């Protein structure tokens, strides 16, 4: 991996904005990890620590009205697309006031008001949803595009291949984002998939790009170029972001299947550290960076407190939402 | 009142919906240029254009997955799965995505889509082109399952299904596509979840849905000549199903036979029997009988398939048992 570029053309405000967003995702997940260990978050959580440059780099190239379908490692996608932090924590802590009423939890965070069509508990299943969403944008001619986030673990899912084909045939406005962290759950992806995502895209005539997914500036630039082409009606694009999964497949996974060397090298790829080095080279005062850290800490503390203060979901209300209440025909 | 074929009645409902609402779109394998494998979507591409009426590749998982995503993004997609057997490839989109989106996202969205698909035997299509798999979907909270028994109902139920905000599996019996029936174009949509009494009677109730309702009516005709008065209840929709209407009929006749073309074991009939033996126990003068296909795949050869499919004689035998 090349070191992060210290491109002076990126405005300072942009650097700090990226920094703040990545830090929000990182610290939110660090806190979730602790809450999970302490028994305050039930179920399963899958953290994207180490992959923050992908969600922030891509969503910063999208607009609010663009839609996004995510996967089970989707906290970063949700937060960077604009899901409100308190309702995010309330959801993952299983509370009535959560964005999904405490019915979905970590694997199903969704917020239609910001175009976040949901994390997903089924590997690859969000991809055709994003294709359908792109179809809706195309038919409605609303100028919006869809994005599908998936890991390299989804590459062997048949529905991904079907989705590439359909999106290419119909020239749909969709950005496929592959977060390639090298691991398909507990197995190295080179033992799971016999091709690579860019070759696969090429087979369907879908242009693609490949970036260091730990460099938010590179991710943003590549995503922006692809999004421009998509908005111009040129059809789907694929962006492969090579990144690193620091935590296990889920919290509690001790990762005994990963080599010590690999684990020790992870800190060299940390996207937040990379951006910090850019910020430092630009001689941005340390107190500005510290102020961002304090701001994020305060927001997360407040969100955790909100989560703790939330109410247990009401069973009758949940049951009443299986179908839409309709009057007459 | 005009006579209309079942397939044409479906076509007319699709036509009306496409005309009335620009967010309605139709896609599936060979539904556009070819007009559908059974001709049901004929003429719609020419009328509404290739933006809203689309042929898809043979990719059931992506077709249904895309319908769910489109329904979450402002469209009302109607998709066709060429044979009900093929839904096996698209189950994730229906079961894990469409059915659960409203609930698991806290009521933020609904998934207003219709999956149309033909089920049923009688055309020697063999084990992978004949199955009646509606019970799979009826078992999933969040889905609705509608199965019309005649052309008029097909039209009126499909219009209601397209207008409905929730995901619906709309099942058409392929042996009925060319069946003619009376249809009044000015008729209103039928409320989903309401059964109707297709034939009134006093001695025994036969509950059924889809093409099997016609088998029940044939049996009722034959039994009438023996002075046995049969009431036939057409469920029209099996999820939700109208247990009040079934209980009301049982309360009049005190004897019940449940009939469907699907395999009897673990089928829709099992649910109806279980509910009636609970809430209708005091009304029953005899054990409830189920009539359906035996526990085996649908066979191909004419002689095998005709033995496999439940017919009027099977229904008559069941009625005789509950009256004995």
């Amino acid at each position: 991996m090349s070191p992060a570029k210290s491109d002076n053309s990126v405005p300072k405000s942009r650097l700090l904005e990226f920094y703040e967003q990545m830090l929000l995702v990182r610290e939110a997940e660090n806190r979730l990890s602790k809450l999970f260990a302490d028994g305050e978050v039930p179920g399963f959580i899958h953290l994207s620590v180490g992959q923050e440059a992908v969600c922030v780099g891509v969503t910063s190239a999208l607009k609010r009205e663009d839609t996004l379908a995510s996967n089970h490692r989707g906290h970063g996608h949700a937060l960077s697309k604009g899901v409100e932090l308190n309702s995010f924590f309330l959801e993952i802590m299983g509370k009535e006031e959560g964005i999904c009423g405490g019915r979905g939890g970590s694997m199903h965070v969704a917020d239609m008001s910001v175009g976040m069509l949901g994390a997903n508990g089924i590997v690859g299943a969000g991809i055709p949803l994003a294709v359908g969403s792109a179809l809706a944008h195309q038919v409605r001619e609303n100028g919006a595009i869809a994005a599908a986030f998936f890991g390299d673990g989804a590459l062997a899912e048949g529905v991904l291949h079907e989705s590439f084909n359909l999106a290419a045939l119909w020239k749909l406005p969709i950005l496929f984002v592959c977060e390639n962290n090298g691991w398909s759950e507990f197995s190295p992806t080179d033992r799971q998939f016999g091709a690579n995502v860019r070759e696969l895209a090429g087979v369907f005539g879908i242009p693609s790009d490949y970036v260091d997914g730990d460099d938010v500036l590179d991710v943003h630039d590549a995503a922006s170029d692809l999004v421009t082409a998509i908005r111009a009606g040129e059809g789907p694009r694929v962006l492969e972001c090579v990144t690193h999964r620091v935590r296990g497949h889920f919290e509690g996974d001790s990762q005994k299947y990963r080599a010590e060397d690999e684990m020790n090298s992870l800190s060299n790829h940390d996207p937040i550290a990379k951006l910090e080095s850019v910020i430092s080279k630009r001689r941005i005062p340390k107190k500005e960076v510290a102020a961002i850290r304090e701001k994020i800490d305060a927001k997360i503390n407040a969100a955790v407190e909100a989560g703790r203060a939330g109410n247990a979901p009401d069973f009758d209300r949940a049951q009443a939402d299986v179908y839409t209440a309709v009057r007459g025909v | 009142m005009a006579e209309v074929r079942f397939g044409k009645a479906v076509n007319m409902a699709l036509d009306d919906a496409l005309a009335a609402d620009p967010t309605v779109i139709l896609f599936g394998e060979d539904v556009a240029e070819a007009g559908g494998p059974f001709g049901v979507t004929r003429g719609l591409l020419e009328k509404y254009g290739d933006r809203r009426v689309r042929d898809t590749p043979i990719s059931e998982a992506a077709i249904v997955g895309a319908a769910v995503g489109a329904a979450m993004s402002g469209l009302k997609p109607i998709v066709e799965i060429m044979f009900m057997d093929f839904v096996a490839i698209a189950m994730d989109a229906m079961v894990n995505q469409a059915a659960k989106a409203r609930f698991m996202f806290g009521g933020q969205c609904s998934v207003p889509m219709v999956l149309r698909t033909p089920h049923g035997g009688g055309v020697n299509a063999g084990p992978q082109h004949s199955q009646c798999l509606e019970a799979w979907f009826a078992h999933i909270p969040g889905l609705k399952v509608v199965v019309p028994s005649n052309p008029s109902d097909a039209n009126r139920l499909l219009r209601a299904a397209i207008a409905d905000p929730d995901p619906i599996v709309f099942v058409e019996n392929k042996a009925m596509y060319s069946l003619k029936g009376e249809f009044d174009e000015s008729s209103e949509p039928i409320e989903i979840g309401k059964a109707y009494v297709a034939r009134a009677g006093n001695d025994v109730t036969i509950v059924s849905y889809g093409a099997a309702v016609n088998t029940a009516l044939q049996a009722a005709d034959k039994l009438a000549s023996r002075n046995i008065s049969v009431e036939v209840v057409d469920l029209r929709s099996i999820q939700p199903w109208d247990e009040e209407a079934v209980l009301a009929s049982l309360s009049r006749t005190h004897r019940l036979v449940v009939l469907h073309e699907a395999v009897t074991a673990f089928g829709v009939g099992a649910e109806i029997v279980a509910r009636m033996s609970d809430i209708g126990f005091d009304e029953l003068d005899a054990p409830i009988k189920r009539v359906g296909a035996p526990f085996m795949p649908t066979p191909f050869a004419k002689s095998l398939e005709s033995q496999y499919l439940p017919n009027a004689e099977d229904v008559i035998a069941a009625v005789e048992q509950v009256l004995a």
Side-chain angles (χ1 to χ4, degrees):
Chain A
M1 289 299 144
S2 59
K5 61 182 180 183
S6 51
D7 187 350
N8 285 324
S9 67
V10 182
K12 171 186 157 188
S13 61
R14 200 85 221 244
L15 293 178
L16 294 181
E17 195 182 306
F18 288 156
Y19 183 69
E20 180 171 337
Q21 287 182 25
M22 288 204 293
L23 202 60
L24 176 71
V25 175
R26 169 72 55 89
E27 294 306 327
E29 288 203 315
N30 281 343
R31 192 66 67 90
L32 285 175
S33 173
K34 183 161 190 323
L35 292 169
F36 179 82
D38 294 345
E40 288 191 74
V41 166
F44 289 98
I45 56 171
H46 306 79
L47 302 186
S48 59
V49 173
Q51 304 184 182
E52 297 87 351
V54 181
C55 56
V56 171
V58 172
T59 57
S60 56
L62 300 177
K63 295 179 180 172
R64 186 184 172 93
E65 59 270 28
D66 295 332
T67 47
L68 180 163
S70 169
N71 58 9
H72 60 276
R73 206 174 302 288
H75 297 149
H77 310 141
L79 291 175
S80 59
K81 190 70 176 71
V83 176
E84 197 269 325
L85 190 67
N86 287 14
S87 59
F88 171 87
F89 269 90
L90 280 155
E91 180 60 30
I92 295 173
M93 293 168 85
K95 301 300 172 72
E96 175 80 37
E97 299 83 357
I99 186 70
C100 302
R103 313 209 194 118
S106 163
M107 273 189 283
H108 304 289
V109 173
D111 184 350
M112 301 302 147
S113 72
V114 297
M116 168 56 184
L117 303 179
N120 211 305
I122 309 295
V123 173
I127 302 164
L129 300 186
V131 167
S133 190
L135 171 64
H137 298 320
Q138 187 186 66
V139 170
R140 296 170 72 199
E141 297 179 345
N142 62 7
I145 73 166
F149 281 82
F150 51 93
D152 41 320
L155 294 175
E157 288 282 5
V159 77
L160 170 87
H161 303 223
E162 293 185 19
S163 294
F164 275 13
N165 183 43
L166 195 57
L169 285 169
W170 289 355
K171 286 188 83 173
L172 294 176
I174 180 167
L175 177 64
F176 295 103
V177 182
C178 178
E179 290 179 273
N180 184 353
N181 63 23
W183 288 93
S184 300
E185 301 188 355
F186 312 102
S187 298
T189 299
D190 58 12
R191 289 215 321 258
Q192 300 258 319
F193 189 59
N196 71 62
V197 68
R198 295 194 63 199
E199 283 172 2
L200 187 67
V203 167
F204 296 104
I206 303 176
S208 62
D209 202 353
Y210 166 96
V211 289
D212 174 356
D214 299 325
D215 184 331
V216 69
L217 303 178
D218 276 357
V219 174
H220 175 80
D221 285 352
S224 298
D225 288 347
L226 297 175
V227 165
T228 301
I230 296 166
R231 280 201 212 283
E234 293 176 25
R237 293 291 187 269
V238 167
L239 178 61
E240 180 182 15
C241 302
V242 176
T243 183
H244 297 82
R245 189 187 88 195
V246 173
R247 309 290 302 187
H249 169 53
F250 54 81
E251 279 301 277
D253 168 11
S254 58
Q255 304 206 77
K256 288 190 176 134
Y257 48 88
R258 291 178 83 172
E260 205 173 316
D261 286 356
E262 188 197 354
M263 295 306 290
N264 291 337
S265 71
L266 288 172
S267 57
N268 302 335
H269 302 286
D270 184 347
I272 292 178
K274 279 192 182 194
L275 188 61
E276 279 171 344
S277 83
V278 175
I279 288 169
S280 143
K281 278 179 197 151
R282 289 280 289 270
R283 301 183 187 286
I284 295 168
K286 281 190 177 151
K287 62 176 186 195
E288 285 189 42
V289 176
I292 290 173
R293 286 202 160 271
E294 282 167 23
K295 180 176 156 193
I296 295 294
D297 276 349
K299 279 173 85 167
I300 289 172
N301 286 337
V304 171
E305 286 317 309
R308 286 176 175 149
N311 294 298
D314 179 68
F315 190 87
D316 292 340
R317 242 196 86 194
Q319 199 172 29
D321 255 342
V322 177
Y323 294 96
T324 311
V326 209
R327 287 191 199 89
V329 174
Chain B
M1 230 179 334
E3 285 240 305
V4 174
R5 290 187 196 278
F6 190 96
K8 179 65 180 169
V10 172
N11 179 281
M12 291 164 77
L14 297 172
D15 196 342
D16 284 352
L18 284 158
D21 184 347
T23 67
V24 171
I25 63 164
L26 179 73
F27 56 99
E29 295 160 10
D30 297 313
V31 299
E33 296 265 356
F38 298 98
V40 173
T41 51
R42 208 169 280 155
L44 299 175
L45 168 67
E46 293 74 8
K47 226 166 154 178
Y48 300 102
D50 61 7
R51 238 176 149 68
R52 295 177 62 206
V53 178
R54 299 182 182 222
D55 282 323
T56 65
I58 303 169
S59 301
E60 288 81 5
I63 293 167
V64 183
V68 179
M72 288 170 67
S73 304
L75 296 185
K76 289 180 187 158
I78 304 165
V79 290
E80 178 173 311
I81 293 296
M82 192 181 274
F83 286 82
M84 191 171 209
D85 315 72
F86 307 168
V87 298
I89 310 170
M91 285 307 260
D92 176 68
M94 288 309 288
V95 172
N96 288 321
Q97 314 301 329
K100 294 173 176 51
R102 178 174 182 79
F103 177 85
M104 77 182 167
F105 299 152
Q108 288 185 63
C109 67
S110 57
V111 182
M113 64 174 283
V114 176
L115 185 157
R116 289 181 42 246
T117 191
H119 77 171
V123 295
N124 309 110
Q128 296 174 343
H129 288 70
S130 304
Q131 294 171 89
C132 295
L133 300 172
E134 54 276 8
W136 286 3
F137 298 100
H139 188 64
I140 304 299
L143 299 179
K144 294 181 181 176
V145 185
V146 177
V147 196
S149 67
N150 61 69
S152 174
D153 278 17
N155 180 282
R156 297 170 63 203
L157 285 166
L158 182 53
R159 282 152 61 202
I162 296 166
D164 195 282
D166 293 316
I168 293 192
V169 179
F170 191 87
V171 188
E172 301 159 10
N173 190 298
K174 67 178 81 71
M176 282 205 297
Y177 278 129
S178 58
L179 181 94
K180 279 187 177 172
E182 291 197 335
F183 175 53
D184 174 1
E185 280 199 49
S186 65
S187 57
E188 293 293 311
I190 294 168
E191 186 179 346
I192 290 169
K194 296 289 179 203
Y196 87 113
V197 176
R199 177 188 176 114
N202 304 314
D203 298 329
V204 58
T205 297
I206 303 173
V207 173
S208 192
Y209 61 87
V213 170
N214 302 302
T215 309
L217 292 170
Q218 284 166 26
D221 268 346
K222 290 184 181 173
L223 287 163
S225 65
R226 290 161 52 185
N227 286 327
I228 297 171
S229 168
V230 175
E231 179 146 301
V232 177
V233 176
D234 181 348
L235 289 178
R236 287 176 159 161
S237 151
I238 59 171
Q239 185 58 267
W241 67 280
D242 193 345
E243 63 177 41
E244 283 174 26
V246 175
L247 182 61
S249 180
L250 174 62
S251 303
R252 289 191 289 274
T253 65
H254 307 291
R255 288 176 165 81
L256 184 60
V257 171
V258 183
L259 163 69
H260 50 58
E261 186 180 323
V263 168
T264 305
F266 294 87
V268 171
E271 176 67 16
I272 295 169
V273 172
R275 278 302 282 163
M276 290 304 129
S277 68
D278 179 0
I279 61 175
F281 187 76
D282 293 340
E283 299 293 345
L284 283 165
D285 286 349
I288 308 171
K289 284 283 166 196
R290 285 182 291 166
V291 180
F295 196 60
M296 63 188 278
T298 313
F300 157 68
K302 270 193 176 177
S303 59
L304 291 175
E305 194 186 35
S306 65
Q307 284 182 68
Y308 168 88
L309 292 172
N311 59 28
E313 296 312 311
D314 300 325
V315 179
I316 289 167
V319 168
E320 286 168 346
Q321 285 181 49
V322 299
L323 286 169

